[in-house]
């Protein structure tokens, strides 16, 4: 393990040598804890034949360790100021490709070609972009919006509150549409809680490492666009009963919704945050045709990412 990239004093010296300071607007907080680094690597369970996408390599702290364990690493860095730093810290590693760009906009299909599940992701995600980035990574290559997607495993560092949403169970305060989207595509497991003191400079929030194991097949039979139309409508008006929220959000008559709810074994007075993924799937299967034939907010016009 390269101590020069996990010692705060040496990180400060590296930045100073390049005339740089962490950009707080981009949420730059560089990992300086070897124990957390080891937990990230253990969660990734890398093999010699693995191909890895890293988002936000920063100074190359994690990148070097990925390169030592995997066949190939593609690292996407949005801050061009860090490219000379990465050129220095990754010198001699011929299995690493650094790409300057925004991970929300670069062509990940071109950067990570291959079959479903053929790549892994390791990322210290910018906290303000976590939702859209996780959603994009989970859905990339998912035909028709259904699992499996391109990435077989994701190990991500996120804000602790976001981690709670990733692993949330129905009925919990953190459970929402994003939770359902994630759990449709993957199983989520919290790996480690990370103190602000593990970064330079320390953020104002606690972080967490989460492992997402991509599903090899859809967990429910419902068509994805219908499923997420129902999910979005259910969580769009959280304080309303499902009967009223779905009627309003899907443009259906209250009686139609109530009949579908009862057929799915769901009490019309329940709220969206109490439904499991299986219950959402059963309801979407019953409402699918009617939702697809509805107005502008029909299932056919929706992308699963609209739940964000």
């Amino acid at each position: 393990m390269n101590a020069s990239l996990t010692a705060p004093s040496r990180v400060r010296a590296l930045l100073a040598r390049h005339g740089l300071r962490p950009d707080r607007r981009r949420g730059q907080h560089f990992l300086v804890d070897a124990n957390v680094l080891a937990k990230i690597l253990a969660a990734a369970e890398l093999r010699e034949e693995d191909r890895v996408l890293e988002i936000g390599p920063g100074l190359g702290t994690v990148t070097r360790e990925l390169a030592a364990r995997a066949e190939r690493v593609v690292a996407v860095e949005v801050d061009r100021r860090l490219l000379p730093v990465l050129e220095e810290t990754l010198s001699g590693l011929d299995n690493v490709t650094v790409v300057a760009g925004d991970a929300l906009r670069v062509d990940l299909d071109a950067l990570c070609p291959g079959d479903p599940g053929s790549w892994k992701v390791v990322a210290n995600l910018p906290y303000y972009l976590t939702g859209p980035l996780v959603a994009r990574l989970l859905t990339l290559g998912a035909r028709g919006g259904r699992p499996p997607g391109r990435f077989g495993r994701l190990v991500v560092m996120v804000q602790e509150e976001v981690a709670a949403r990733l692993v949330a169970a129905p009925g919990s305060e953190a459970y929402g549409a994003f939770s359902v989207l994630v759990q449709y595509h993957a199983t989520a497991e919290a790996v480690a809680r990370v103190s602000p003191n593990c970064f330079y400079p320390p953020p104002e929030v606690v972080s967490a490492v989460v492992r997402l194991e991509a599903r090899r097949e859809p967990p429910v039979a419902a068509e994805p666009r219908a499923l997420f139309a129902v999910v979005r409508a259910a969580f769009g008006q959280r304080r309303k009963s499902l009967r009223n929220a779905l009627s309003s959000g899907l443009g259906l008559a209250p009686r139609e919704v109530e009949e579908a709810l009862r057929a799915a074994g769901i009490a019309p007075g329940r709220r969206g945050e109490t439904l499991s993924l299986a219950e959402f799937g059963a309801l979407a299967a019953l409402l699918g045709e009617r939702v697809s034939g509805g107005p502008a907010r029909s299932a056919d016009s929706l992308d699963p990412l609209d739940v964000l």
Side-chain angles (χ1 to χ4, degrees), residues 157-194:
M157 178 92 74
V158 297
Q159 187 174 338
E160 188 176 40
E161 291 180 2
V162 176
R165 294 171 62 198
L166 293 174
V167 303
S172 65
E173 185 176 346
Y175 187 67
F178 181 49
S179 309
V180 179
L181 173 66
V182 169
Q183 292 164 27
Y184 176 75
H185 288 278
T187 58
E189 173 191 5
V191 172
R193 190 172 186 266
V194 184

Side-chain angles (χ1 to χ4, degrees), residues 50-197:
D50 280 339
R51 293 177 289 175
V52 183
L53 170 68
E54 183 187 13
I55 295 175
L59 306 180
T61 306
V62 179
T63 320
R64 290 186 61 88
E65 301 301 328
L66 298 176
R69 293 162 172 78
E71 176 185 327
R72 181 182 174 196
V73 179
V74 174
V76 178
E77 177 54 60
V78 70
D79 188 352
R80 292 179 178 272
R81 302 177 313 146
L82 295 178
L83 298 184
V85 179
L86 289 168
E87 185 176 355
E88 175 185 334
T89 59
L90 303 179
S91 176
L93 299 177
D94 58 7
N95 63 335
V96 178
T97 301
V98 177
V99 177
D102 183 340
L104 280 175
R105 294 179 173 83
V106 298
D107 187 350
L108 293 180
D109 265 320
L111 291 178
C112 306
D115 297 328
S118 59
W119 284 74
K120 292 181 178 179
V121 173
V122 176
N124 182 3
L125 297 178
Y127 294 159
Y128 61 98
L129 290 177
T130 297
L133 279 172
V134 169
R136 186 181 188 201
L137 294 170
L138 286 174
T139 58
L140 184 75
R143 295 183 179 180
R146 298 177 177 85
R150 183 68 42 79
F151 302 107
R153 175 177 296 159
L154 290 77
V155 178
V156 294
M157 178 92 74
V158 297
Q159 187 174 338
E160 188 176 40
E161 291 180 2
V162 176
R165 294 171 62 198
L166 293 174
V167 303
S172 65
E173 185 176 346
Y175 187 67
F178 181 49
S179 309
V180 179
L181 173 66
V182 169
Q183 292 164 27
Y184 176 75
H185 288 278
T187 58
E189 173 191 5
V191 172
R193 190 172 186 266
V194 184
S195 163
N197 295 327

Side-chain angles (χ1 to χ4, degrees), residues 20 27 55 84 128 145 151 158 163 168 171 182 184 187 195 199 204 223 228 246 254 256 280 282 285 291 306:
L20 298 176
I55 295 175
Y128 61 98
F151 302 107
V158 297
V182 169
Y184 176 75
T187 58
S195 163
F199 299 91
E204 296 180 356
E223 199 277 329
F228 290 109
L246 295 178
E256 286 184 277
F280 273 119
V291 172
D306 283 346

Side-chain angles (χ1 to χ4, degrees), residues 22-51:
D23 188 342
R24 291 182 180 272
R25 294 175 302 170
R26 287 196 170 106
Q28 286 181 347
H29 303 280
F30 304 115
L31 182 65
V32 290
D33 189 288
N35 291 327
V36 174
L37 175 55
K39 291 177 181 179
I40 291 171
L41 296 169
E45 294 182 329
L46 296 176
R47 302 165 297 180
E48 290 183 0
E49 65 271 23
D50 280 339
R51 293 177 289 175

Side-chain angles (χ1 to χ4, degrees), residues 194-216:
V194 184
S195 163
N197 295 327
C198 296
F199 299 91
Y200 172 79
E204 296 180 356
V205 297
V206 174
S207 304
V209 178
V210 177
R211 177 168 59 190
L212 302 174
E213 198 71 27
R215 296 188 187 277
R216 297 183 179 181

Side-chain angles (χ1 to χ4, degrees), residues 180 184 220 222-232 277 280-282 284 299:
V180 179
Y184 176 75
V220 296
E223 199 277 329
R225 291 183 184 273
L227 172 65
F228 290 109
V230 171
V231 170
R232 190 179 78 161
L277 174 59
F280 273 119

